[in-house]
Amino acid sequence: MERRAASFWLFATLAPYAALEPELTFVLDDGWGRAVGYVLGTADTAGFVNAFREVWLPPLTARYPAPAGPARTPSEELIALLHRPERMILPELAGYPAHLHIDLLPAVRRQGYDRALMHTFLRALRDRGAGAVHLSMVTANTSARAFYDRLGFHEIAVPDPGPLTYLGRSTSLDGG
């Protein structure tokens, strides 16, 4: 992916959560003020999509208008996705109204921080009344899948998921 597209993707993917639901944004710090991981998301995907469309997207449309035709570059593909937040709402995920994104730099993985971040996030979701959460992941990422399996996530069947797998679980910390 071109560098500009990668930067835009981080902005378009993460910033709306931090802006619209800061209470569900958790950052892992290395002790020196450098972010080395995060977990963020929403307790209500449908509500988030609505806020994304009504609040987040309007100021961006002048700078990032929806492509008029088929996307020709990675940046255009990402901009097209930006204008389709409803893609996050799938009927198969209705029983898992919350969703999340988590990532840690390789140097801090497998040290318990990932599990601690996830438990912090699950507790915050539960406190907001969300009983279940989902995520999507690139199917080929077998190490991520093993991590999610250990945390009690299970696969959710979604027709034509492309390169993604959808996983879900309860927000309870006593078993998943």
Side-chain angles (χ1 to χ4, degrees):
M1 182 182 306
E2 66 188 69
R3 186 179 176 104
R4 181 175 171 213
S7 296
F8 178 78
W9 180 245
L10 284 174
F11 167 74
T13 303
L14 304 179
Y17 295 96
L20 298 171
E21 298 201 43
E23 68 282 359
L24 289 174
T25 301
F26 302 94
V27 178
L28 178 63
D29 179 296
D30 68 357
W32 299 95
R34 184 174 155 241
V36 294
Y38 65 84
V39 63
L40 48 70
T42 180
D44 174 14
T45 299
F48 177 80
V49 165
N50 204 25
F52 187 98
R53 174 138 323 268
E54 301 290 323
V55 177
W56 183 256
L57 189 56
L60 299 177
T61 56
R63 183 165 183 190
Y64 301 105
R72 296 180 312 266
T73 67
S75 291
E76 287 180 359
E77 289 175 15
L78 297 175
I79 291 168
L81 287 174
L82 175 74
H83 287 274
R84 292 194 335 261
E86 291 78 12
R87 75 188 184 290
M88 292 185 247
I89 301 174
L90 300 173
E92 297 80 11
L93 304 176
Y96 305 86
H99 75 262
L100 68 88
H101 301 272
I102 185 171
D103 197 12
L104 282 80
L105 292 177
V108 296
R109 291 181 189 155
R110 294 186 176 96
Q111 297 179 37
Y113 298 120
D114 42 9
R115 182 179 293 271
L117 275 173
M118 190 67 83
H119 284 179
T120 297
F121 189 77
L122 292 171
R123 246 187 314 281
L125 287 177
R126 191 186 60 230
D127 292 349
R128 283 164 183 73
V133 61
H134 74 272
L135 60 88
S136 62
M137 58 163 283
V138 175
T139 303
N141 190 345
T142 56
S143 61
R145 178 59 191 264
F147 168 69
Y148 296 131
D149 287 348
R150 286 190 302 275
L151 288 177
F153 281 84
H154 60 271
E155 194 162 334
I156 304 168
V158 171
D160 303 317
L164 300 178
T165 295
Y166 290 86
L167 303 174
R169 66 159 282 167
S170 134
T171 58
S172 170
L173 294 179
D174 51 346

